[in-house]
Amino acid sequence: MRRHGHRYQHLLKQSNGGVKGMFGKLAIAAVVLVICMVSLVSTLKSSSSSPSRSEINVDTLWENAPSGGWRASSAPRSDWPTPSKQTNGYLRVRCNGGLNQQRSAICNAVLAARIMNATLVLPELDANSFWHDDSGFQGIYDVEHFIKTLKYDVNIVERIPEISKNGKTRKLKAFKLEPPRDAPISWYTSKALEKMKEHGAIYLTPFSHRLAEEIDKPEYQRLRCRVNYHALRFKPHIMELSKSIVDRLRAQGHFMAIHLRFEMDMLAFAGCYDIFTPKEQEILKKYRKENFAEKKLIYEQRRAIGKCPLTPEEVGLILRAMGFNNTTRIYIASGELFGGERFMGPFQSMFPRLENHSTIDTTGELAKNTRGLVGSAVDYMVCLLADIFMPTYDGPSNFANNLMGHRLYYNFRTTIWPDRKALTPVFIARENGHTAGFEEAIRRVMLNTNFGGPHKRISPESFYTNSWPECFCQTPAQNPADGCPPKNISDILESQLQSSGVTDDGFVGSDVASVTDK
């Protein structure tokens, strides 16, 4: 199903709003046209030094991206004292949002506890309004593994203990605080710590994006990676379900996973309505009004700056232009796609070997166990282990962003990350009948993207999408700061832990987590 690139003509024909309305719409069309022309010219200019025909070697994409001697390494490299038995109090947090927003919030909670020398209470996971899932931390993650893996970093308990005073026992009540968005470290070491010492415990809620991502302390950033890529391991039954799906997909060779974010909540959030029927538009607008802040969104402008998710057909056109053929096996990770077969049909006609966690299992046994957050966790693991991963939309702490960061950490596994803003004028030209050179233009845009190798993090790219170089080391190191930690780092930390008077029979595994530690 093609997008309506010809809607610019539609804007010119509407005159019900009078002269003033007509001029307003003409202005919108002009702005969008300028944006698209600038983007198209920029795309052509950036590739003018390339050969007349751009080629992408699909065979190399099935392998990991070149590492340049870098490997994942989130172990401490400088003095890193183990947590003191005497902490300043207890820290409770309530992590809101979906699975991956909660995941980054958990990383921030551990770091906040470290900053304040606090004992972390096992994070609470909000019963997500979209999934309606109240599985909680214990229902999704391996709690014992989480606590043991982080024993050199923070003290963690499953609940706030009861206290005895004047012969009476009662539960310590945490003082409720709402942290500022992207709060600096200084907020935690001043206001939050002050309230913790005063009350013995604090409760931070909501706790999504409540600690600044960019922190000029590499050891703090490495702690986030230890949480994200080592400590947060899904429960055994989720890992087994995921492995079963991956084994079935890989039984016939390579496979690609695509996070197709063409779902009602994302389309409503982005304001991308115009390609849908009037009835479908009403549904999206109603969902937006009920769930998001009021804001005037104009489809043509949103699309021109890359704010609309790719349609299934656009995904298929990109893959075909890159050189993937119709035998490519593709796993679709997503919720219910909005618009149904009308939008999926063109994609499936190009790539008929599409699967998801329901269709891959003919018995239906897997589908029974992949609902809500558990289903999202299974999709996460399948996408992590896929030979190639392709997101169709990215945003702070969402599914795709976290996965791209995890795949980078997991030995630079290939990610195809389309530049929607650069692709928009190419698609609009095709929709208006200009098909000559279409696939060549797509290839030129895609050649300017990164396929998963080490690359500098530039705003607005998130730390959770790209933790290079803080959570990596190089052999041999061109810069001393990029050197790998001592091989006996676990022994050093264990010795520090025992000398502090804390004993534990647990262990920390290899610096580079195995797949079961993902």
Side-chain angles (χ1 to χ4, degrees), residues 424-493:
T424 294
V426 182
F427 284 123
I428 289 177
R430 176 180 180 272
E431 290 157 13
N432 287 325
H434 306 297
T435 57
F438 170 74
E439 291 199 344
E440 173 66 8
I442 292 288
R443 283 191 291 273
R444 286 182 174 175
V445 171
M446 296 309 298
L447 278 170
N448 286 329
T449 63
N450 183 284
F451 289 118
H455 62 282
K456 185 178 180 181
R457 184 170 67 251
I458 300 175
S459 179
E461 189 176 25
S462 164
F463 173 79
Y464 293 101
T465 303
N466 179 12
S467 60
W468 186 89
E470 293 97 331
C471 295
F472 295 81
C473 67
Q474 189 180 35
T475 308
Q478 297 178 8
N479 183 331
D482 298 326
C484 294
K487 291 183 179 180
N488 65 338
I489 185 64
S490 293
D491 295 335
I492 294 171
L493 293 170

Side-chain angles (χ1 to χ4, degrees), residues 282-294:
E282 286 180 17
I283 294 171
L284 292 173
K285 289 175 181 178
K286 181 175 182 291
Y287 186 91
R288 179 173 179 84
K289 186 176 181 180
E290 292 173 350
N291 293 277
F292 305 113
E294 186 176 349

Side-chain angles (χ1 to χ4, degrees), residues 161-172:
E162 294 181 335
I163 59 172
S164 297
K165 189 174 182 180
N166 299 326
K168 294 182 179 180
T169 301
R170 64 179 179 84
K171 187 176 181 180
L172 182 65

Side-chain angles (χ1 to χ4, degrees), residues 262-309:
F262 202 70
E263 300 154 324
M264 180 171 63
D265 64 322
M266 179 50 67
L267 291 163
F269 171 77
C272 301
Y273 308 141
D274 291 29
I275 58 175
F276 296 100
T277 65
K279 185 177 180 180
E280 289 168 338
Q281 289 186 36
E282 286 180 17
I283 294 171
L284 292 173
K285 289 175 181 178
K286 181 175 182 291
Y287 186 91
R288 179 173 179 84
K289 186 176 181 180
E290 292 173 350
N291 293 277
F292 305 113
E294 186 176 349
K295 185 178 181 182
K296 186 177 181 181
L297 301 174
I298 300 171
Y299 168 73
E300 285 84 358
Q301 290 180 349
R302 299 289 289 172
R303 189 186 181 197
I305 59 175
K307 294 298 184 182
C308 288

Side-chain angles (χ1 to χ4, degrees), residues 166-187:
N166 299 326
K168 294 182 179 180
T169 301
R170 64 179 179 84
K171 187 176 181 180
L172 182 65
K173 188 175 181 180
F175 180 82
K176 188 176 177 180
L177 272 175
E178 182 175 342
R181 188 177 176 88
D182 299 319
I185 290 176
S186 59
W187 184 86

Side-chain angles (χ1 to χ4, degrees), residues 62-108:
W62 293 113
E63 307 298 330
N64 292 356
S67 70
W70 291 89
R71 67 173 177 84
S73 175
S74 57
R77 296 177 210 175
S78 58
D79 183 41
W80 186 253
T82 51
S84 169
K85 289 180 66 176
Q86 300 299 320
T87 65
N88 289 317
Y90 293 91
L91 172 64
R92 283 181 61 200
V93 299
R94 177 175 153 270
C95 306
N96 55 305
L99 178 73
N100 293 281
Q101 194 170 345
Q102 292 171 358
R103 193 179 183 100
S104 58
I106 294 167
C107 298
N108 286 341

